[in-house]
Short mmCIF file of all heavy atoms in Angstrom, two decimals:
data_model
loop_
_atom_site.label_atom_id
_atom_site.label_comp_id
_atom_site.label_asym_id
_atom_site.label_seq_id
_atom_site.Cartn_x
_atom_site.Cartn_y
_atom_site.Cartn_z
N ALA S 19 14.33 176.09 23.88
CA ALA S 19 13.70 176.67 22.69
C ALA S 19 14.47 177.90 22.21
O ALA S 19 14.67 178.09 21.00
CB ALA S 19 12.24 177.02 22.99
N GLN S 22 17.72 176.88 20.49
CA GLN S 22 17.48 176.32 19.16
C GLN S 22 17.09 177.38 18.14
O GLN S 22 17.17 177.14 16.93
CB GLN S 22 16.40 175.25 19.25
CG GLN S 22 16.85 174.01 20.03
CD GLN S 22 15.75 173.01 20.27
OE1 GLN S 22 14.56 173.35 20.29
NE2 GLN S 22 16.11 171.75 20.49
N ALA S 30 24.03 171.00 23.25
CA ALA S 30 24.75 169.75 23.50
C ALA S 30 23.98 168.85 24.45
O ALA S 30 23.96 167.63 24.29
CB ALA S 30 26.13 170.05 24.07
N GLU S 34 18.37 168.81 34.40
CA GLU S 34 17.44 169.35 35.38
C GLU S 34 18.08 169.55 36.75
O GLU S 34 17.40 169.90 37.71
CB GLU S 34 16.22 168.43 35.50
CG GLU S 34 15.38 168.38 34.23
CD GLU S 34 14.11 167.58 34.40
OE1 GLU S 34 13.88 167.05 35.51
OE2 GLU S 34 13.34 167.49 33.43
N ASN S 45 32.26 163.69 30.87
CA ASN S 45 32.55 162.94 29.65
C ASN S 45 32.45 163.77 28.38
O ASN S 45 32.65 163.24 27.28
CB ASN S 45 31.57 161.76 29.54
CG ASN S 45 31.68 160.81 30.71
OD1 ASN S 45 32.72 160.22 30.94
ND2 ASN S 45 30.59 160.66 31.46
N PRO S 72 35.92 175.84 34.12
CA PRO S 72 34.56 176.11 33.66
C PRO S 72 34.54 176.78 32.29
O PRO S 72 35.43 177.59 31.98
CB PRO S 72 34.00 177.04 34.73
CG PRO S 72 35.19 177.68 35.33
CD PRO S 72 36.27 176.65 35.30
N PRO S 73 33.55 176.44 31.47
CA PRO S 73 33.37 177.17 30.21
C PRO S 73 32.76 178.54 30.51
O PRO S 73 32.61 178.92 31.67
CB PRO S 73 32.40 176.27 29.44
CG PRO S 73 31.60 175.60 30.52
CD PRO S 73 32.54 175.40 31.67
N GLU S 83 19.25 189.68 43.41
CA GLU S 83 20.35 189.87 44.35
C GLU S 83 21.57 189.02 44.02
O GLU S 83 22.64 189.20 44.58
CB GLU S 83 19.88 189.56 45.79
CG GLU S 83 19.45 188.12 46.02
CD GLU S 83 17.95 187.94 45.86
OE1 GLU S 83 17.35 188.75 45.13
OE2 GLU S 83 17.42 187.00 46.45
N LYS S 90 31.10 188.00 39.86
CA LYS S 90 32.33 187.68 40.57
C LYS S 90 32.94 186.38 40.07
O LYS S 90 34.15 186.16 40.20
CB LYS S 90 32.06 187.58 42.08
CG LYS S 90 31.89 188.93 42.76
CD LYS S 90 31.68 188.76 44.26
CE LYS S 90 31.51 190.11 44.95
NZ LYS S 90 31.27 189.95 46.41
N LEU S 98 17.61 187.88 34.08
CA LEU S 98 16.62 187.88 35.15
C LEU S 98 15.29 187.37 34.61
O LEU S 98 14.74 187.93 33.66
CB LEU S 98 16.46 189.29 35.72
CG LEU S 98 15.55 189.45 36.93
CD1 LEU S 98 16.10 188.66 38.13
CD2 LEU S 98 15.40 190.93 37.29
N SER S 124 36.84 175.88 23.11
CA SER S 124 37.00 174.63 23.85
C SER S 124 37.60 173.55 22.96
O SER S 124 37.61 173.65 21.73
CB SER S 124 35.63 174.13 24.35
OG SER S 124 34.84 173.73 23.27
N THR S 142 20.58 162.27 -3.67
CA THR S 142 19.60 162.96 -4.51
C THR S 142 19.11 162.01 -5.58
O THR S 142 19.90 161.34 -6.25
CB THR S 142 20.21 164.23 -5.14
OG1 THR S 142 19.23 164.86 -5.97
CG2 THR S 142 21.46 163.93 -5.94
N GLU S 186 24.60 171.62 11.32
CA GLU S 186 25.57 170.94 12.16
C GLU S 186 26.80 170.50 11.37
O GLU S 186 27.89 170.38 11.92
CB GLU S 186 24.92 169.71 12.81
CG GLU S 186 23.88 170.08 13.87
CD GLU S 186 23.14 168.86 14.39
OE1 GLU S 186 23.33 167.76 13.82
OE2 GLU S 186 22.37 169.00 15.35
N TYR S 191 31.76 179.56 8.32
CA TYR S 191 31.50 180.63 7.35
C TYR S 191 30.14 180.49 6.67
O TYR S 191 29.85 181.18 5.69
CB TYR S 191 32.64 180.75 6.32
CG TYR S 191 32.95 179.51 5.51
CD1 TYR S 191 32.25 179.19 4.35
CD2 TYR S 191 33.99 178.66 5.90
CE1 TYR S 191 32.56 178.07 3.60
CE2 TYR S 191 34.31 177.54 5.16
CZ TYR S 191 33.60 177.25 4.02
OH TYR S 191 33.90 176.13 3.28
N GLN S 207 27.81 189.47 -1.85
CA GLN S 207 28.39 190.61 -2.54
C GLN S 207 27.90 191.94 -1.95
O GLN S 207 28.60 192.95 -2.00
CB GLN S 207 28.05 190.57 -4.04
CG GLN S 207 28.58 189.34 -4.76
CD GLN S 207 30.09 189.25 -4.68
OE1 GLN S 207 30.80 190.25 -4.89
NE2 GLN S 207 30.60 188.06 -4.39
N GLY S 225 15.60 187.09 7.89
CA GLY S 225 14.45 186.97 8.77
C GLY S 225 14.61 187.78 10.05
O GLY S 225 15.74 188.00 10.53
N LEU S 227 14.11 187.03 13.08
CA LEU S 227 14.72 186.27 14.16
C LEU S 227 16.24 186.21 14.04
O LEU S 227 16.94 186.02 15.03
CB LEU S 227 14.15 184.85 14.17
CG LEU S 227 14.56 183.93 15.32
CD1 LEU S 227 14.12 184.51 16.66
CD2 LEU S 227 13.98 182.54 15.13
N THR S 238 31.68 192.79 12.89
CA THR S 238 33.06 192.30 13.03
C THR S 238 33.85 192.49 11.75
O THR S 238 35.08 192.45 11.76
CB THR S 238 33.07 190.80 13.41
OG1 THR S 238 32.52 190.02 12.32
CG2 THR S 238 32.26 190.55 14.67
N PHE S 240 33.00 195.12 9.43
CA PHE S 240 32.77 196.45 8.87
C PHE S 240 33.94 197.40 9.13
O PHE S 240 34.46 197.47 10.24
CB PHE S 240 31.49 197.04 9.49
CG PHE S 240 31.09 198.36 8.89
CD1 PHE S 240 30.51 198.43 7.64
CD2 PHE S 240 31.29 199.54 9.60
CE1 PHE S 240 30.15 199.65 7.09
CE2 PHE S 240 30.91 200.76 9.06
CZ PHE S 240 30.35 200.83 7.79
N LEU S 241 34.34 198.13 8.09
CA LEU S 241 35.36 199.16 8.22
C LEU S 241 34.74 200.49 7.82
O LEU S 241 34.05 200.60 6.81
CB LEU S 241 36.55 198.87 7.30
CG LEU S 241 37.38 197.62 7.62
CD1 LEU S 241 38.50 197.47 6.61
CD2 LEU S 241 37.95 197.69 9.03
#
Side-chain angles (χ1 to χ4, degrees):
Q22 293 173 335
E34 295 186 359
N45 300 299
E83 63 266 25
K90 284 182 180 178
L98 185 62
S124 69
T142 179
E186 290 174 352
Y191 57 85
Q207 299 300 315
L227 186 61
T238 65
F240 186 75
L241 294 179

